Amino acid sequence: MSVENVPSGNKQWFVLRVTYGRIIKAQTFVEAKGLECYVPLHYKEIWKQGKRRIIIEPLIPSFLFVHASAERVDYLLQDKSIKPLENRALLSYYYDHTSHCENSPTKNPPLVISDAAMDNFIRLISIHNPHIIPVTSENIKYKLGDEVVITEGEFKDIRGRVARIAGQQRVLVKLFDGCLVATAYVPTSALSFSKI
């Protein structure tokens, strides 16, 4: 069956694991198949030869987000060309370890991100600020776990939880366990506490 004949179905955001160091190759491959994908990039401040520079690099080097139907993603991952000479798949599903498949209680389903959560994440990553950082749960000290919406400044309308990271009050956006991103410092006056 050709890709054009695969039923479109409902599109969802699937999380795909990419073999190390091949994120751009994976993005090119997915886009060549006509699928929408997102690679989170961020601005990082580095010092090179005594000069401050801002570079762009993948925020999460081992994940690619694909917006497509389950059938299209299955078809993509069955493509023989994603296993190059070293016989390691370029792409594979990242599984949701918090739930089980209906048909097989010993297997986990592929991880899917809601459109609202993905929109919030993309909006945050699209801001050109080198102080937006990926974090691990070990670095986080939640400030009462407050859930907020940022009401002003460059992070306006970003939703997340208030956390203290690197000694600063920031808003933490969580897509799934292991994928957490923090804003730069946000003053309390720019936060609206709400139920998310």
Side-chain angles (χ1 to χ4, degrees):
M1 178 183 330
S2 75
V3 135
E4 295 79 29
N5 297 324
V6 174
S8 64
N10 292 332
K11 288 185 175 185
Q12 301 175 79
W13 282 103
F14 287 87
V15 181
L16 300 183
R17 186 182 295 279
V18 180
T19 52
Y20 184 76
R22 299 165 73 199
I23 193 79
I24 301 304
K25 181 176 183 176
Q27 179 183 16
T28 303
F29 175 77
V30 171
E31 289 174 345
K33 297 293 182 183
L35 298 176
E36 177 186 357
C37 69
Y38 179 68
V39 174
L41 300 173
H42 77 125
Y43 294 81
K44 183 176 179 181
E45 184 178 84
I46 62 166
W47 290 89
K48 193 170 184 176
Q49 299 173 347
K51 294 183 180 178
R52 179 180 161 259
R53 296 179 189 221
I54 304 293
I55 61 167
I56 300 172
E57 66 179 15
L59 180 72
I60 312 164
S62 57
F63 291 114
L64 177 79
F65 301 89
V66 176
H67 193 229
S69 66
E71 295 85 6
R72 293 284 309 262
V73 176
D74 280 342
Y75 184 80
L76 172 77
L77 295 180
Q78 291 170 13
D79 190 307
K80 303 238 183 289
S81 63
I82 69 169
K83 286 195 176 184
L85 296 175
E86 62 270 17
N87 206 28
R88 287 181 22 219
L90 175 64
L91 294 164
S92 60
Y93 279 117
Y94 183 76
Y95 293 98
D96 181 355
H97 299 287
T98 63
S99 65
H100 298 285
C101 293
E102 289 178 21
N103 311 6
S104 180
T106 60
K107 293 185 179 178
N108 302 104
L111 183 62
V112 176
I113 307 296
S114 73
D115 286 344
M118 201 64 198
D119 290 346
N120 190 49
F121 178 72
I122 291 171
R123 196 171 349 158
L124 172 60
I125 302 305
S126 299
I127 297 168
H128 303 296
N129 186 316
H131 301 289
I132 296 171
I133 56 170
V135 292
T136 60
S137 53
E138 296 87 48
N139 304 33
I140 301 168
K141 292 182 182 172
Y142 285 106
K143 186 178 176 186
L144 305 174
D146 293 334
E147 296 178 336
V148 297
V149 176
I150 301 173
T151 57
E152 57 188 67
E154 69 180 327
F155 300 112
K156 185 177 180 183
D157 297 327
I158 298 295
R159 296 176 168 274
R161 292 176 68 187
V162 176
R164 191 161 248 355
I165 300 168
Q168 294 182 330
Q169 176 173 281
R170 299 176 184 228
V171 173
L172 188 68
V173 172
K174 178 181 176 180
L175 268 187
F176 56 90
D177 286 341
C179 186
L180 305 155
V181 180
T183 66
Y185 168 76
V186 178
T188 303
S189 62
L191 302 175
S192 172
F193 297 86
S194 67
K195 304 270 186 209
I196 296 179

